[in-house]
Each structure stands twice: as structure tokens, then as C-alpha cells.
Amino acid sequence: MKLNGIHYTLTLLMLTLSGTVTSAQLQDHASIKQAAESFIADVVRSSHGAEPTVKAGSLDSRLRLTRCDIPLDAFQPAGSRALGNTTVGVRCTGSTSWTLYVPVRVSLFGDVVVAARPLTRATLLTAADLKMARRDLAQLHSGYFGSIDQAIGKQTGRNIALDTAISTALVKEPLAVKRGQRVDLVALAGGLEVRMTGEAMSDGTTGQRIKVRNLRSKRVVDGIVKSSTTIQVAMQ
């Protein structure tokens, strides 16, 4: 059943509009909205440690529900999120039983890293490129950095406008080694370290697994990029 975009389930029939029921026997809409707002605010405080701004949407004025004889119970429907435009379930489990889904808008403002100047593609970020600014975290769907140190050293993957929030979708780890580069292949076994000269078969970032060729044996093996000069391989 759908009523002006609000989905709800009633295990007891809705009271009719006949006027035979007094307002004292009906659940006040304000109390339903308050239950939804208080619940989702507590969820956000617990998960983010900050105070959100919460606003429940309007309920249809024709919606008439029996007053609950116990405190209302609010909950998060499966798959719903805590920030942005979301939905909170409110139900009565007393002598009458009903469940209503209330649309809620949740904003949470916090300091995030943004571009201090226009940035071109392939820029290696430094502290001079970045600043902190206050943003609604609910709007940053691609994520964000909470400190400048987290973004320093990243490489921009595209042009970035002034004051744009820096996210992992906009930056990447810089290349540590390039295809065809001579590198040290390091194999560890217990306390033994063996070093050989190799060649990177592809570009790679720190921590990435790439193919490398042992220039002495000509074998191609997998290795993990440790630095701009070193790739760790398994003992052959």
C-alpha cells in the first residue's frame, strides 16, 4: 500500500475517517516523526561520534493510527543507510499493532580535505595543494579524507577544481616502478636475503603485485613492489 510515497504496513485496520474516533485515541504525527528522528540521530552519533542534523518528512494528514499504549519502537529497515535521504521504521507493538516507514533527511557536517587550488591531472599532492573545509558528509558519496596527511603523496587521476573534496575516486597511489625499469629482486628465506637484478614487466604502485623478469635466469615471476627500486619475490 502506498500513500504519498510513504510505505506502511498495518496489522490492525486503519481507523476510518467517519469522525467516530476522537483525536485523543489517535497517534499524534509529531510523536511518530520524533521517534524516527531521535532513533536515527542516536545511530549517527554512535557510528560517527558527531551530532547530525535530522529532519523527518511530512506524514499524510489523512493517516489516522490508533494511539500506541506503549512507547513507539523505531528501527532501521534492512539495506537503509544512516546519512542522506533515508527511511526509518516506526512501529507499535502494544495492544494495537502497526508499522510505518518515515522518510528522513540526515546531514552530518565535518572537516574534510579539499583542493586549495585548481589541480591538474597527475599532480603529486603536497600540503600546499590541500586545505580543510566543512562539508556535509552525507553528500560525499565517493568518500573523503579526514586529514591532510592522508592525502599527501597521492596522485590526481584527473583535473580537480578549487574547493573540491578530495576522495579516493579522484586520486591514486603514484607509480613506484615503471615497465622496463631495472630493479632489485629480493628473496627472503628465514634470515637469508638474496638479491638479484630484474626488470619490471609492468608499471606498479607500492604494495602492488606485478610480473618481473630475473635478468640472470630469464624467468618471469610475481613480485610485490616494496619501493621505487626493490621488488620482493619468492625464493626460487
Side-chain angles (χ1 to χ4, degrees):
M1 183 178 291
K2 187 173 182 180
L3 184 58
N4 285 355
I6 302 175
H7 298 268
Y8 61 91
T9 303
L10 298 178
T11 55
L12 186 71
L13 292 177
M14 272 185 17
L15 295 176
T16 66
L17 300 178
S18 62
T20 59
V21 179
T22 67
S23 60
Q25 295 172 287
L26 298 176
Q27 187 70 43
D28 179 42
H29 286 191
S31 66
I32 298 173
K33 294 167 64 175
Q34 179 60 44
E37 291 174 346
S38 296
F39 171 81
I40 200 66
D42 286 343
V43 170
V44 174
R45 289 190 202 100
S46 176
S47 59
H48 290 80
E51 187 66 31
T53 300
V54 181
K55 179 66 175 178
S58 299
L59 301 181
D60 194 286
S61 60
R62 296 168 295 176
L63 183 65
R64 294 157 63 88
L65 301 173
T66 303
R67 178 179 293 277
C68 195
D69 53 6
I70 63 173
L72 295 175
D73 176 38
F75 63 94
Q76 264 189 292
S80 66
R81 58 185 182 179
L83 296 179
N85 293 319
T86 188
T87 301
V88 176
V90 179
R91 59 194 169 201
C92 175
T93 57
S95 57
T96 61
S97 179
W98 48 260
T99 301
L100 184 69
Y101 293 92
V102 181
V104 180
R105 171 67 186 172
V106 184
S107 298
L108 180 66
F109 288 87
D111 293 328
V112 302
V113 179
V114 303
R117 62 182 183 85
L119 302 171
T120 57
R121 183 178 180 275
T123 297
L124 286 177
L125 295 177
T126 68
D129 300 317
L130 308 167
K131 64 182 180 180
M132 301 299 292
R134 200 158 184 80
R135 293 287 188 273
D136 183 358
L137 305 186
Q139 299 299 313
L140 303 180
H141 304 300
S142 297
Y144 56 89
F145 291 104
S147 72
I148 289 177
D149 287 344
Q150 292 176 329
I152 289 177
K154 299 291 191 295
Q155 186 177 45
T156 57
R158 45 171 277 190
N159 294 340
I160 300 176
L162 171 69
D163 289 330
T164 299
I166 304 298
S167 71
T168 54
L170 298 179
V171 298
K172 58 185 179 180
E173 294 295 333
L175 291 180
V177 298
K178 296 183 178 181
R179 180 179 181 179
Q181 179 182 332
R182 292 290 181 92
V183 292
D184 291 330
L185 305 183
V186 178
L188 303 175
L192 180 64
E193 177 182 292
V194 178
R195 286 183 173 266
M196 302 153 281
T197 301
E199 178 185 353
M201 304 300 291
S202 64
D203 296 342
T205 60
T206 301
Q208 185 177 5
R209 185 180 295 274
I210 66 171
K211 297 287 187 182
V212 290
R213 176 184 285 116
N214 184 325
L215 293 183
R216 181 175 180 180
S217 68
K218 306 303 181 182
R219 291 185 60 187
V220 176
V221 296
D222 287 335
I224 298 175
V225 179
K226 291 298 184 179
S227 71
S228 61
T229 60
T230 305
I231 296 179
Q232 183 178 317
V233 298
M235 182 69 76
Q236 299 180 32

